[in-house]
Amino acid sequence: MNQNPLGRRRGGLRIWVLIAFAAYAAYYWFSNRSVDPLTGQAVVIDKSISPEQEKALGLQAYQQVLEQERPLPPDAQASQQVASIAQRLIAKIPPVSDALASEHGLQASHIEKSFDWKVTVLQSDQVNAFCLPGGKMAVYTGLLPVAQNANAMAVVMGHEIAHALLRHGAQRMTRGKLEQLGQMAGAASGMDAGTMQTVMQAYGYGSALPYARSQETQADELGLMLAAAACFDPREAVPLWERMDKNAGGGAPPEFASTHPSAGTRIQQLEALMPKAMDYRAKFCESGATAAAGAGMR
């Protein structure tokens, strides 16, 4: 028989601490929940994180990148090619956003109206590109030989633009706050370091990583529709990811342990989206705008 009332009180207190943290986390989750009109899916974005704050953080990060990397001159051929692709994609954001939102019976928020768009090509072997909240974009020269043509580059850039339009950065910041709450709850309840590490690992594989992969899938779809509407050939997405996979040389982690879908999964999802993308191309692509779409990248 347990004759230690102090131990029982401590155990009860720990349970109440966990209940209190769980109640607050649930309140925080549901009070900041909304439906994204472009995906029709529920998202959680802290209402205290405004698009203007995101934009300021994006500009700060962009300036830091430019201080660390070597931008190509704006009149360089690669810079001009990438800028042209960006302009065509950006021009199609309003109609594509409206079309996607209407599919879900919603109205697009048109967050892009507040963006100050700028794209820079960075001299680096990285096979990468990004678009920060607020519209600051960069493409690394290491991506050019893998993309090979403007169609594939448009798919990549459309994907990166989609992350900014879908406010994925704000969603990750919000999720980070919830993760901090969970860690605080564990510490306050007396959870030891080993148990905490096990719990966080389980959370990562069971929730955090699948969540990150879902964001990538959302950006793939929106980006593909943008590229198609801008008169690029969305079918180039499949050979692009085949080249991406080959370029990785088998060095990518298994999908369950990654923030990104595997190349195989990605290709399957893109192939399933292709009929919709071709419909968007037929609907939004003006004749005569396709001449340079297949040009090689240098």
Side-chain angles (χ1 to χ4, degrees):
M1 182 180 293
N2 187 357
Q3 300 294 330
N4 185 354
L6 180 59
R8 290 198 299 272
R9 286 197 296 272
R10 286 178 176 172
L13 179 61
R14 290 174 181 175
I15 292 174
W16 281 110
V17 166
L18 288 173
I19 291 173
F21 271 101
Y24 178 74
Y27 165 77
Y28 178 83
W29 176 273
F30 286 105
S31 63
N32 290 289
R33 191 170 177 269
S34 62
V35 175
D36 189 288
L38 302 185
T39 65
Q41 297 181 15
V43 297
V44 181
I45 299 178
D46 191 314
K47 290 184 174 63
S48 68
I49 304 174
S50 69
E52 286 302 315
Q53 284 179 299
E54 285 184 272
K55 184 176 173 180
L57 290 171
L59 177 59
Q60 182 181 10
Y62 185 70
Q63 291 171 337
Q64 290 174 349
V65 169
L66 293 185
E67 290 173 359
Q68 298 167 1
E69 303 287 354
R70 292 183 297 160
L72 289 184
D75 59 354
Q77 183 178 8
S79 298
Q80 293 179 344
Q81 288 177 319
V82 168
S84 176
I85 294 169
Q87 289 171 1
R88 287 169 58 178
L89 292 169
I90 292 166
K92 294 301 180 180
I93 292 174
V96 168
S97 297
D98 287 337
L100 289 171
S102 68
E103 291 176 9
H104 307 118
L106 300 168
Q107 289 187 333
S109 61
H110 291 295
I111 188 176
E112 77 279 358
K113 290 181 180 179
S114 67
F115 284 13
D116 297 322
W117 296 99
K118 184 176 181 181
V119 59
T120 303
V121 178
L122 302 174
Q123 184 68 48
S124 170
D125 291 336
Q126 289 189 57
V127 182
N128 203 4
F130 65 78
C131 179
L132 296 167
K136 298 298 185 288
M137 305 171 61
V139 171
Y140 293 87
T141 54
L143 178 62
L144 303 183
V146 179
Q148 294 187 1
N149 58 68
N151 291 308
M153 182 61 75
V155 169
V156 176
M157 294 175 66
H159 170 96
E160 299 303 331
I161 289 171
H163 278 306
L165 297 177
L166 295 170
R167 299 190 68 189
H168 282 165
Q171 292 179 38
R172 289 191 294 270
M173 289 168 65
T174 301
R175 198 172 181 90
K177 290 187 178 183
L178 285 167
E179 291 168 358
Q180 289 178 347
L181 278 175
Q183 292 173 337
M184 289 169 60
S189 68
M191 188 180 295
D192 63 82
T195 302
M196 177 72 78
Q197 184 177 10
T198 300
V199 169
M200 293 308 295
Q201 285 179 341
Y203 165 78
Y205 287 119
S207 180
L209 291 175
Y211 174 79
R213 291 194 294 271
S214 72
Q215 287 192 334
E216 292 299 315
T217 299
Q218 291 173 359
D220 276 347
E221 178 170 356
L222 175 52
L224 194 68
M225 300 308 139
L226 286 173
C231 300
F232 295 99
D233 189 347
R235 292 169 294 191
E236 279 295 320
V238 172
L240 164 69
W241 280 105
E242 290 172 346
R243 293 193 295 272
M244 286 283 203
D245 188 36
K246 183 178 179 180
N247 184 75
E255 183 172 281
F256 75 88
S258 175
T259 57
H260 290 60
S262 68
T265 296
R266 207 160 208 163
I267 288 170
Q268 288 179 350
Q269 292 169 339
L270 289 167
E271 287 177 333
L273 287 168
M274 210 55 66
K276 180 178 179 179
M278 295 305 291
D279 285 345
Y280 268 58
R281 193 171 193 265
K283 183 177 181 180
F284 296 111
C285 173
E286 293 84 5
S287 60
T290 61
M297 301 299 301
R298 296 182 182 179

